Tab-separated table of all heavy atoms in Angstrom:
chain	number	residue	atom	x	y	z
A	172	GLY	N	-2.745	15.403	-2.269
A	172	GLY	CA	-4.178	15.441	-2.555
A	172	GLY	C	-4.936	14.278	-1.949
A	172	GLY	O	-4.381	13.225	-1.651
A	173	ASN	N	-6.249	14.476	-1.771
A	173	ASN	CA	-7.071	13.401	-1.218
A	173	ASN	C	-7.584	12.454	-2.308
A	173	ASN	O	-8.261	11.465	-2.025
A	173	ASN	CB	-8.249	13.965	-0.414
A	173	ASN	CG	-9.245	14.685	-1.293
A	173	ASN	OD1	-8.876	15.316	-2.271
A	173	ASN	ND2	-10.518	14.593	-0.941
A	174	VAL	N	-7.268	12.778	-3.564
A	174	VAL	CA	-7.553	11.876	-4.688
A	174	VAL	C	-6.242	11.644	-5.414
A	174	VAL	O	-5.555	12.593	-5.792
A	174	VAL	CB	-8.598	12.485	-5.664
A	174	VAL	CG1	-8.813	11.545	-6.842
A	174	VAL	CG2	-9.908	12.768	-4.945
A	175	PHE	N	-5.861	10.391	-5.585
A	175	PHE	CA	-4.576	10.099	-6.219
A	175	PHE	C	-4.623	8.727	-6.875
A	175	PHE	O	-5.458	7.872	-6.548
A	175	PHE	CB	-3.442	10.136	-5.177
A	175	PHE	CG	-3.709	9.328	-3.938
A	175	PHE	CD1	-3.317	7.987	-3.864
A	175	PHE	CD2	-4.355	9.894	-2.841
A	175	PHE	CE1	-3.577	7.238	-2.729
A	175	PHE	CE2	-4.610	9.138	-1.693
A	175	PHE	CZ	-4.218	7.806	-1.641
A	176	ALA	N	-3.744	8.509	-7.843
A	176	ALA	CA	-3.646	7.220	-8.532
A	176	ALA	C	-2.499	6.418	-7.923
A	176	ALA	O	-1.475	6.978	-7.533
A	176	ALA	CB	-3.404	7.433	-10.022
A	177	ILE	N	-2.690	5.108	-7.857
A	177	ILE	CA	-1.629	4.216	-7.383
A	177	ILE	C	-0.807	3.803	-8.595
A	177	ILE	O	-1.312	3.147	-9.508
A	177	ILE	CB	-2.223	2.959	-6.710
A	177	ILE	CG1	-3.244	3.356	-5.658
A	177	ILE	CG2	-1.123	2.102	-6.111
A	177	ILE	CD1	-4.073	2.188	-5.156
A	178	ILE	N	0.457	4.190	-8.640
A	178	ILE	CA	1.290	3.900	-9.807
A	178	ILE	C	2.479	3.005	-9.462
A	178	ILE	O	3.364	2.804	-10.290
A	178	ILE	CB	1.786	5.202	-10.470
A	178	ILE	CG1	2.621	6.031	-9.485
A	178	ILE	CG2	0.619	6.019	-11.002
A	178	ILE	CD1	3.279	7.254	-10.111
A	179	THR	N	2.482	2.458	-8.245
A	179	THR	CA	3.571	1.547	-7.890
A	179	THR	C	3.575	0.388	-8.881
A	179	THR	O	2.504	-0.115	-9.257
A	179	THR	CB	3.412	1.050	-6.428
A	179	THR	OG1	4.609	0.411	-6.019
A	179	THR	CG2	2.238	0.114	-6.262
A	180	PRO	N	4.739	-0.014	-9.374
A	180	PRO	CA	4.795	-0.917	-10.532
A	180	PRO	C	4.221	-2.309	-10.332
A	180	PRO	O	3.648	-2.867	-11.260
A	180	PRO	CB	6.293	-0.979	-10.865
A	180	PRO	CG	6.998	-0.526	-9.634
A	180	PRO	CD	6.088	0.447	-8.977
A	181	ARG	N	4.320	-2.888	-9.136
A	181	ARG	CA	3.891	-4.271	-8.965
A	181	ARG	C	2.376	-4.368	-8.741
A	181	ARG	O	1.828	-3.745	-7.830
A	181	ARG	CB	4.628	-4.922	-7.797
A	181	ARG	CG	6.130	-5.036	-8.000
A	181	ARG	CD	6.744	-6.173	-7.196
A	181	ARG	NE	6.192	-6.317	-5.859
A	181	ARG	CZ	6.243	-7.471	-5.167
A	181	ARG	NH1	6.799	-8.529	-5.706
A	181	ARG	NH2	5.755	-7.528	-3.945
A	182	GLN	N	1.710	-5.170	-9.598
A	182	GLN	CA	0.267	-5.351	-9.487
A	182	GLN	C	-0.123	-5.872	-8.112
A	182	GLN	O	-1.099	-5.431	-7.521
A	182	GLN	CB	-0.213	-6.359	-10.538
A	182	GLN	CG	-0.731	-5.772	-11.816
A	182	GLN	CD	-2.074	-5.095	-11.656
A	182	GLN	OE1	-2.672	-5.068	-10.593
A	182	GLN	NE2	-2.536	-4.507	-12.729
A	183	VAL	N	0.653	-6.813	-7.610
A	183	VAL	CA	0.287	-7.428	-6.340
A	183	VAL	C	0.312	-6.410	-5.210
A	183	VAL	O	-0.505	-6.456	-4.287
A	183	VAL	CB	1.215	-8.632	-6.039
A	183	VAL	CG1	2.624	-8.179	-5.714
A	183	VAL	CG2	0.642	-9.491	-4.908
A	184	ASP	N	1.235	-5.435	-5.278
A	184	ASP	CA	1.279	-4.390	-4.265
A	184	ASP	C	0.083	-3.453	-4.376
A	184	ASP	O	-0.473	-3.005	-3.374
A	184	ASP	CB	2.582	-3.595	-4.380
A	184	ASP	CG	3.785	-4.381	-3.877
A	184	ASP	OD1	3.574	-5.364	-3.140
A	184	ASP	OD2	4.931	-4.027	-4.221
A	185	ARG	N	-0.305	-3.149	-5.599
A	185	ARG	CA	-1.468	-2.269	-5.789
A	185	ARG	C	-2.716	-2.895	-5.174
A	185	ARG	O	-3.469	-2.255	-4.443
A	185	ARG	CB	-1.704	-2.024	-7.281
A	185	ARG	CG	-0.616	-1.245	-7.978
A	185	ARG	CD	-1.053	-0.901	-9.388
A	185	ARG	NE	0.056	-0.431	-10.207
A	185	ARG	CZ	-0.088	0.027	-11.438
A	185	ARG	NH1	-1.280	0.067	-11.996
A	185	ARG	NH2	0.953	0.442	-12.131
A	186	GLY	N	-2.935	-4.171	-5.504
A	186	GLY	CA	-4.112	-4.853	-4.983
A	186	GLY	C	-4.073	-5.012	-3.477
A	186	GLY	O	-5.077	-4.806	-2.789
A	187	ALA	N	-2.899	-5.387	-2.959
A	187	ALA	CA	-2.769	-5.581	-1.514
A	187	ALA	C	-2.969	-4.267	-0.768
A	187	ALA	O	-3.577	-4.237	0.310
A	187	ALA	CB	-1.401	-6.175	-1.197
A	188	LEU	N	-2.465	-3.177	-1.326
A	188	LEU	CA	-2.667	-1.859	-0.717
A	188	LEU	C	-4.156	-1.534	-0.614
A	188	LEU	O	-4.633	-1.050	0.413
A	188	LEU	CB	-1.965	-0.783	-1.546
A	188	LEU	CG	-0.509	-0.473	-1.205
A	188	LEU	CD1	0.104	0.393	-2.303
A	188	LEU	CD2	-0.406	0.232	0.139
A	189	MET	N	-4.881	-1.794	-1.710
A	189	MET	CA	-6.320	-1.512	-1.712
A	189	MET	C	-7.031	-2.328	-0.639
A	189	MET	O	-7.907	-1.830	0.072
A	189	MET	CB	-6.902	-1.851	-3.091
A	189	MET	CG	-6.431	-0.938	-4.219
A	189	MET	SD	-7.244	0.682	-4.189
A	189	MET	CE	-8.856	0.242	-4.829
A	190	SER	N	-6.650	-3.598	-0.536
A	190	SER	CA	-7.316	-4.464	0.430
A	190	SER	C	-6.929	-4.092	1.867
A	190	SER	O	-7.778	-4.015	2.760
A	190	SER	CB	-6.958	-5.920	0.137
A	190	SER	OG	-7.678	-6.771	0.987
A	191	ARG	N	-5.642	-3.880	2.097
A	191	ARG	CA	-5.153	-3.516	3.435
A	191	ARG	C	-5.790	-2.207	3.900
A	191	ARG	O	-6.087	-2.008	5.084
A	191	ARG	CB	-3.628	-3.363	3.387
A	191	ARG	CG	-3.001	-2.949	4.706
A	191	ARG	CD	-2.950	-4.098	5.692
A	191	ARG	NE	-2.355	-3.677	6.958
A	191	ARG	CZ	-3.052	-3.326	8.031
A	191	ARG	NH1	-4.381	-3.369	8.014
A	191	ARG	NH2	-2.444	-2.955	9.140
A	192	TYR	N	-6.029	-1.325	2.955
A	192	TYR	CA	-6.622	-0.004	3.171
A	192	TYR	C	-7.957	-0.096	3.910
A	192	TYR	O	-8.314	0.762	4.714
A	192	TYR	CB	-6.818	0.612	1.794
A	192	TYR	CG	-7.096	2.091	1.723
A	192	TYR	CD1	-6.474	3.000	2.561
A	192	TYR	CD2	-7.959	2.576	0.743
A	192	TYR	CE1	-6.708	4.360	2.439
A	192	TYR	CE2	-8.193	3.924	0.597
A	192	TYR	CZ	-7.570	4.818	1.450
A	192	TYR	OH	-7.801	6.153	1.314
A	193	SER	N	-8.712	-1.187	3.618
A	193	SER	CA	-10.046	-1.324	4.206
A	193	SER	C	-10.007	-1.866	5.624
A	193	SER	O	-11.040	-1.979	6.285
A	193	SER	CB	-10.896	-2.263	3.336
A	193	SER	OG	-10.374	-3.580	3.378
A	194	ARG	N	-8.778	-2.211	6.110
A	194	ARG	CA	-8.678	-2.866	7.422
A	194	ARG	C	-7.815	-2.074	8.404
A	194	ARG	O	-7.283	-2.633	9.353
A	194	ARG	CB	-8.133	-4.277	7.246
A	194	ARG	CG	-9.043	-5.134	6.359
A	194	ARG	CD	-8.454	-6.479	6.023
A	194	ARG	NE	-9.353	-7.204	5.128
A	194	ARG	CZ	-9.719	-8.466	5.298
A	194	ARG	NH1	-9.281	-9.149	6.345
A	194	ARG	NH2	-10.515	-9.057	4.437
A	195	THR	N	-7.645	-0.781	8.131
A	195	THR	CA	-6.848	0.057	9.037
A	195	THR	C	-7.322	1.501	8.913
A	195	THR	O	-7.954	1.873	7.928
A	195	THR	CB	-5.343	-0.021	8.683
A	195	THR	OG1	-4.609	0.849	9.529
A	195	THR	CG2	-5.089	0.382	7.247
A	196	ASP	N	-6.985	2.308	9.925
A	196	ASP	CA	-7.356	3.728	9.849
A	196	ASP	C	-6.208	4.579	9.303
A	196	ASP	O	-6.297	5.799	9.251
A	196	ASP	CB	-7.807	4.253	11.213
A	196	ASP	CG	-6.726	4.081	12.278
A	196	ASP	OD1	-5.631	3.576	11.944
A	196	ASP	OD2	-6.988	4.459	13.439
A	197	LYS	N	-5.129	3.929	8.878
A	197	LYS	CA	-4.023	4.675	8.266
A	197	LYS	C	-4.392	5.112	6.858
A	197	LYS	O	-5.227	4.500	6.202
A	197	LYS	CB	-2.780	3.782	8.164
A	197	LYS	CG	-2.105	3.411	9.472
A	197	LYS	CD	-0.869	2.568	9.165
A	197	LYS	CE	-0.177	2.123	10.432
A	197	LYS	NZ	1.030	1.291	10.098
A	198	SER	N	-3.736	6.174	6.376
A	198	SER	CA	-3.901	6.562	4.981
A	198	SER	C	-3.139	5.554	4.116
A	198	SER	O	-2.208	4.894	4.581
A	198	SER	CB	-3.351	7.966	4.744
A	198	SER	OG	-1.935	7.969	4.842
A	199	MET	N	-3.514	5.441	2.849
A	199	MET	CA	-2.878	4.451	1.983
A	199	MET	C	-1.394	4.717	1.805
A	199	MET	O	-0.562	3.790	1.817
A	199	MET	CB	-3.563	4.403	0.613
A	199	MET	CG	-2.971	3.334	-0.305
A	199	MET	SD	-3.767	3.237	-1.904
A	199	MET	CE	-5.328	2.485	-1.440
A	200	ARG	N	-1.037	5.969	1.615
A	200	ARG	CA	0.378	6.283	1.409
A	200	ARG	C	1.204	5.983	2.669
A	200	ARG	O	2.355	5.552	2.588
A	200	ARG	CB	0.530	7.736	0.958
A	200	ARG	CG	0.045	7.942	-0.484
A	200	ARG	CD	-0.069	9.391	-0.892
A	200	ARG	NE	-1.113	10.115	-0.176
A	200	ARG	CZ	-1.777	11.159	-0.659
A	200	ARG	NH1	-1.498	11.619	-1.872
A	200	ARG	NH2	-2.687	11.774	0.051
A	201	ARG	N	0.589	6.159	3.842
A	201	ARG	CA	1.280	5.820	5.079
A	201	ARG	C	1.451	4.298	5.196
A	201	ARG	O	2.480	3.809	5.646
A	201	ARG	CB	0.500	6.384	6.273
A	201	ARG	CG	1.048	6.007	7.643
A	201	ARG	CD	2.531	6.329	7.783
A	201	ARG	NE	2.800	7.765	7.644
A	201	ARG	CZ	4.013	8.273	7.501
A	201	ARG	NH1	5.072	7.460	7.431
A	201	ARG	NH2	4.189	9.581	7.374
A	202	ILE	N	0.408	3.537	4.797
A	202	ILE	CA	0.509	2.072	4.799
A	202	ILE	C	1.690	1.634	3.943
A	202	ILE	O	2.475	0.763	4.329
A	202	ILE	CB	-0.785	1.426	4.247
A	202	ILE	CG1	-1.969	1.711	5.168
A	202	ILE	CG2	-0.612	-0.081	4.067
A	202	ILE	CD1	-3.307	1.302	4.575
A	203	PHE	N	1.816	2.266	2.773
A	203	PHE	CA	2.896	1.893	1.862
A	203	PHE	C	4.262	2.131	2.522
A	203	PHE	O	5.141	1.268	2.472
A	203	PHE	CB	2.791	2.697	0.565
A	203	PHE	CG	3.878	2.364	-0.419
A	203	PHE	CD1	3.787	1.243	-1.233
A	203	PHE	CD2	5.005	3.173	-0.516
A	203	PHE	CE1	4.801	0.920	-2.120
A	203	PHE	CE2	6.031	2.861	-1.404
A	203	PHE	CZ	5.922	1.733	-2.215
A	204	LEU	N	4.426	3.288	3.123
A	204	LEU	CA	5.703	3.617	3.752
A	204	LEU	C	6.005	2.694	4.935
A	204	LEU	O	7.136	2.226	5.109
A	204	LEU	CB	5.700	5.076	4.225
A	204	LEU	CG	5.715	6.139	3.124
A	204	LEU	CD1	5.458	7.516	3.721
A	204	LEU	CD2	7.032	6.122	2.356
A	205	ASP	N	4.983	2.413	5.738
A	205	ASP	CA	5.194	1.646	6.964
A	205	ASP	C	5.299	0.140	6.723
A	205	ASP	O	6.078	-0.554	7.400
A	205	ASP	CB	4.054	1.896	7.954
A	205	ASP	CG	4.065	3.319	8.500
A	205	ASP	OD1	5.044	4.041	8.227
A	205	ASP	OD2	3.095	3.699	9.173
A	206	GLU	N	4.509	-0.358	5.776
A	206	GLU	CA	4.373	-1.813	5.674
A	206	GLU	C	4.897	-2.433	4.370
A	206	GLU	O	5.206	-3.631	4.346
A	206	GLU	CB	2.900	-2.198	5.849
A	206	GLU	CG	2.311	-1.711	7.159
A	206	GLU	CD	0.843	-2.079	7.313
A	206	GLU	OE1	0.381	-3.018	6.613
A	206	GLU	OE2	0.148	-1.423	8.119
A	207	PHE	N	4.964	-1.656	3.293
A	207	PHE	CA	5.307	-2.240	1.999
A	207	PHE	C	6.700	-1.873	1.508
A	207	PHE	O	7.322	-2.649	0.789
A	207	PHE	CB	4.288	-1.799	0.940
A	207	PHE	CG	2.973	-2.520	1.031
A	207	PHE	CD1	2.055	-2.177	2.013
A	207	PHE	CD2	2.650	-3.530	0.148
A	207	PHE	CE1	0.843	-2.831	2.109
A	207	PHE	CE2	1.446	-4.191	0.234
A	207	PHE	CZ	0.538	-3.840	1.214
A	208	LEU	N	7.181	-0.720	1.855
A	208	LEU	CA	8.417	-0.199	1.262
A	208	LEU	C	9.610	-1.118	1.512
A	208	LEU	O	10.351	-1.452	0.584
A	208	LEU	CB	8.702	1.208	1.802
A	208	LEU	CG	9.889	1.929	1.156
A	208	LEU	CD1	9.664	2.102	-0.345
A	208	LEU	CD2	10.097	3.290	1.806
A	209	LYS	N	9.790	-1.547	2.741
A	209	LYS	CA	10.960	-2.363	3.068
A	209	LYS	C	10.717	-3.849	2.821
A	209	LYS	O	11.643	-4.592	2.526
A	209	LYS	CB	11.356	-2.131	4.532
A	209	LYS	CG	11.875	-0.729	4.802
A	209	LYS	CD	12.254	-0.545	6.269
A	209	LYS	CE	12.752	0.881	6.524
A	209	LYS	NZ	13.097	1.083	7.949
A	210	ASN	N	9.472	-4.288	2.948
A	210	ASN	CA	9.153	-5.708	2.758
A	210	ASN	C	8.704	-5.935	1.320
A	210	ASN	O	7.563	-5.685	0.968
A	210	ASN	CB	8.053	-6.129	3.737
A	210	ASN	CG	7.786	-7.629	3.704
A	210	ASN	OD1	8.306	-8.335	2.839
A	210	ASN	ND2	6.984	-8.097	4.643
A	211	LYS	N	9.598	-6.396	0.484
A	211	LYS	CA	9.304	-6.561	-0.937
A	211	LYS	C	8.244	-7.632	-1.203
A	211	LYS	O	7.615	-7.652	-2.254
A	211	LYS	CB	10.585	-6.935	-1.704
A	211	LYS	CG	11.686	-5.896	-1.607
A	211	LYS	CD	11.255	-4.563	-2.192
A	211	LYS	CE	12.388	-3.535	-2.145
A	211	LYS	NZ	11.958	-2.212	-2.636
A	212	ASN	N	8.037	-8.546	-0.252
A	212	ASN	CA	7.065	-9.616	-0.440
A	212	ASN	C	5.752	-9.352	0.301
A	212	ASN	O	4.925	-10.237	0.432
A	212	ASN	CB	7.645	-10.953	0.053
A	212	ASN	CG	8.839	-11.387	-0.776
A	212	ASN	OD1	8.823	-11.251	-1.996
A	212	ASN	ND2	9.861	-11.896	-0.114
A	213	ARG	N	5.610	-8.120	0.797
A	213	ARG	CA	4.431	-7.794	1.594
A	213	ARG	C	3.135	-8.075	0.838
A	213	ARG	O	2.188	-8.646	1.372
A	213	ARG	CB	4.474	-6.329	2.014
A	213	ARG	CG	3.225	-5.812	2.710
A	213	ARG	CD	3.018	-6.479	4.054
A	213	ARG	NE	1.756	-6.055	4.636
A	213	ARG	CZ	1.321	-6.440	5.814
A	213	ARG	NH1	2.021	-7.250	6.546
A	213	ARG	NH2	0.154	-6.019	6.270
A	214	GLY	N	3.078	-7.648	-0.443
A	214	GLY	CA	1.863	-7.840	-1.234
A	214	GLY	C	1.493	-9.298	-1.365
A	214	GLY	O	0.351	-9.699	-1.137
A	215	GLU	N	2.473	-10.133	-1.704
A	215	GLU	CA	2.208	-11.558	-1.872
A	215	GLU	C	1.835	-12.208	-0.545
A	215	GLU	O	0.927	-13.052	-0.490
A	215	GLU	CB	3.434	-12.243	-2.477
A	215	GLU	CG	3.662	-11.837	-3.937
A	215	GLU	CD	4.938	-12.426	-4.508
A	215	GLU	OE1	5.572	-13.227	-3.802
A	215	GLU	OE2	5.280	-12.087	-5.648
């Protein structure tokens, strides 16, 4: 869906996803897969 809730457990990842979202043309879920999934410290 084009409307969805972010339920990833770490607060820092949720916030970083929202912020990163405004600086790329990728979809948020794609950002998560490409940039956050493997790098556990990405949000911080």
Side-chain angles (χ1 to χ4, degrees):
N173 67 325
V174 177
F175 50 91
I177 309 168
I178 60 173
T179 192
R181 296 205 320 157
Q182 265 288 358
V183 70
D184 287 342
R185 294 188 193 185
L188 271 168
M189 292 284 285
S190 185
R191 178 75 181 98
Y192 195 38
S193 66
R194 300 173 183 228
T195 177
D196 58 1
K197 291 182 182 180
S198 70
M199 183 179 288
R200 288 169 293 208
R201 175 53 62 192
I202 295 171
F203 180 81
L204 291 170
D205 292 352
E206 303 179 20
F207 284 77
L208 186 60
K209 293 180 181 179
N210 187 351
K211 300 299 182 183
N212 295 319
R213 173 66 185 182
E215 290 175 6

